[in-house]
Amino acid sequence: MSAPAPAQHYGSLRRILALVRKESWQVIRDPSSIAVGIIMPMMLLILFGYGLSFDLKNLPLALVMEENSAEALGAVSGFELSEYFQTYPVKTMAEAERLLKDKTVSGIVRIPPQFARDVALGNGDIQIVVNGTDANTARISLAYAQGAVATWLARKAAEGKIVGSGASVDMQTRLWFNEANESSYFLVPGLIVLVMTLIGALLTALVMAREWERGTFEALFVTPVRPVEILLGKVIPYFVLGMLGLALSVIGSQILFHVPLRGSLWILVIVSMLYLIVALGIGLLISSVTKSQFVASQITLVVTFLPAMMLSGFMFDIRSMPLIIQFITYIFPGRYFVSVLQTLFLAGDIWGVILPNAAVLAVMAAVLMAASVRATRKKLG
């Protein structure tokens, strides 16, 4: 006669709790798990937040002053006083070009002769030359230089002096969602994706593959423990570790970088849990198929970490990628998580973005966990 269903459930829960307790002690005693789960998130947060920035400052510029009039000095004051530029006054254009070729400077600002007279006539010109070797840096440098010139033009317009041909235009601009124009506002939310991927996919794949190599799973297979109970016992400690990494990242984003969180914290937690389950499922599936730490680590890096960094929208705008690459990005869960995180942090609870992306993550989580249970079926080898 079979035991009553409640007794079966109780026995199953007791086995899962025993496995969770065993795995938790193993995580605590394993320095690599602590390093990846706690130390690594803080290191990544500090390195990416402070070290990686799309904002250019102290950009070296050569100033060629072919006239020393008051108008010329006023025009270059925007460059000399700006925190974005470090100016190097030179006497000739040939000398400035040499510095540009030697990469001593990244651009040239030239004030031509008779500049004051041309300004008085309403058609003063300033020549700006930018090194285009790095196209992204060149665009940002040119924009900063144009901003400095625009500031000077605004001062001239306020004095009633119109410089340049054509009608005077009063241009008013406003930056939405990132008024401070800080790249850390864009980078730090995306960094959470890397933290969750490291803990959920890479760490889990390595630990599970190590279990296969050492034969620990074979020892579990001769016990009454079922595959789903084994997976739950292994996954729950790393799920808690991943949520701890999330908490550290969110707290660090608020305290260290003052990144606004305009959306709901609870929605952030729920969506992060979905992504963490997806990452755990990928790690379990890879380790179950490969059963080798080295192979599992290589595959996990290629399948999860690199796409999370390169193809998720974390560092590069997906819309600027070739069409075929844009289609490929739909395969990787990082794309959906990054979209939700950036929306929650910078825009708020925009349900038209949150719900579709969260739904895709939920489907991925269900499919990957089912595949992991199937791959880790109870058998030897």
Side-chain angles (χ1 to χ4, degrees):
M1 180 181 296
S2 61
Q8 292 179 355
H9 293 319
Y10 176 75
S12 177
L13 180 60
R14 187 171 58 182
R15 289 193 295 269
I16 293 173
L17 290 177
L19 288 171
V20 169
R21 186 164 53 248
K22 167 189 168 296
E23 192 67 25
S24 298
W25 278 112
Q26 184 172 335
V27 170
I28 293 174
R29 292 195 301 265
D30 187 4
S32 62
S33 299
I34 300 300
V36 175
I38 298 178
I39 300 176
M40 185 67 74
M42 297 309 299
M43 288 182 59
L44 287 175
L45 191 69
I46 293 172
L47 289 175
F48 275 78
Y50 288 114
L52 180 62
S53 175
F54 295 144
D55 302 324
L56 298 178
K57 292 187 178 181
N58 298 319
L59 190 72
L61 283 182
L63 287 182
V64 182
M65 299 285 293
E66 297 181 352
E67 178 179 290
N68 289 320
S69 63
E71 292 289 356
L73 294 175
V76 300
S77 63
F79 296 94
E80 293 176 327
L81 300 177
S82 173
E83 63 176 338
Y84 298 107
F85 301 107
Q86 183 177 0
T87 58
Y88 293 86
V90 295
K91 296 181 179 180
T92 64
M93 192 66 181
E95 185 180 355
E97 291 176 354
R98 181 182 59 79
L99 294 176
L100 187 64
K101 291 177 182 179
D102 294 343
K103 296 186 177 180
T104 304
V105 299
S106 298
I108 301 171
V109 176
R110 174 176 175 261
I111 305 297
Q114 301 179 340
F115 178 73
R117 188 199 67 177
D118 293 339
V119 168
L121 296 175
N123 58 357
D125 294 325
I126 298 176
Q127 182 181 7
I128 299 174
V129 180
V130 176
N131 186 351
T133 305
D134 184 342
N136 184 60
T137 301
R139 284 193 293 268
I140 298 175
S141 304
L142 187 59
Y144 287 169
Q146 290 172 340
V149 174
T151 301
W152 172 69
L153 291 176
R155 289 202 306 267
K156 299 301 296 183
E159 297 171 359
K161 301 175 182 178
I162 299 177
V163 181
S165 59
S168 177
V169 177
D170 181 18
M171 182 175 63
Q172 298 181 0
T173 62
R174 180 182 177 185
L175 196 62
W176 280 20
F177 307 132
N178 187 0
E179 296 85 353
N181 198 22
E182 292 285 345
S183 60
S184 60
Y185 285 16
F186 177 80
L187 291 173
V188 172
L191 179 60
I192 296 177
V193 180
L194 300 185
V195 172
M196 305 289 273
T197 302
L198 277 174
I199 298 174
L202 185 58
L203 181 60
T204 304
L206 288 175
V207 171
M208 296 291 283
R210 183 175 60 193
E211 300 269 3
W212 283 107
E213 288 182 343
R214 293 178 177 178
T216 309
F217 276 116
E218 281 79 356
L220 289 174
F221 286 157
V222 299
T223 68
V225 183
R226 293 177 295 177
V228 66
E229 296 171 352
I230 295 174
L231 288 182
L232 286 175
K234 296 291 183 182
V235 163
I236 290 176
Y238 293 102
F239 180 84
V240 174
L241 192 62
M243 296 308 294
L244 177 60
L246 170 69
L248 291 175
S249 299
V250 172
I251 293 172
S253 70
Q254 303 296 298
I255 296 178
L256 297 178
F257 305 105
H258 309 290
V259 180
L261 178 57
R262 298 191 172 103
S264 170
L265 178 61
W266 291 110
I267 297 175
L268 173 64
V269 172
I270 292 171
V271 177
S272 299
M273 290 170 66
L274 288 176
Y275 181 76
L276 183 56
I277 294 174
V278 172
L280 289 168
I282 294 174
L284 290 172
L285 187 59
I286 292 175
S287 63
S288 298
V289 173
T290 61
K291 300 182 182 179
S292 166
Q293 287 190 79
F294 177 77
V295 177
S297 64
Q298 300 304 308
I299 295 178
T300 305
L301 283 174
V302 173
V303 172
T304 61
F305 188 76
L306 291 179
M309 178 178 289
M310 310 293 291
L311 300 177
S312 65
F314 163 51
M315 295 187 66
F316 308 106
D317 192 341
I318 294 177
R319 293 168 298 183
S320 64
M321 299 177 184
L323 191 59
I324 183 64
I325 302 299
Q326 293 186 39
F327 282 117
I328 293 175
T329 61
Y330 285 102
I331 303 174
F332 302 109
R335 172 194 173 113
Y336 307 100
F337 193 35
V338 167
S339 179
V340 174
L341 285 178
Q342 291 176 348
T343 300
L344 287 173
F345 271 93
L346 301 180
D349 297 333
I350 310 299
W351 296 107
V353 176
I354 296 172
L355 291 179
N357 289 286
V360 174
L361 290 176
V363 172
M364 286 184 172
V367 171
L368 287 167
M369 279 300 171
S372 299
V373 172
R374 185 177 181 85
T376 318
R377 57 188 179 275
K378 186 177 180 181
K379 68 172 186 177
L380 288 173

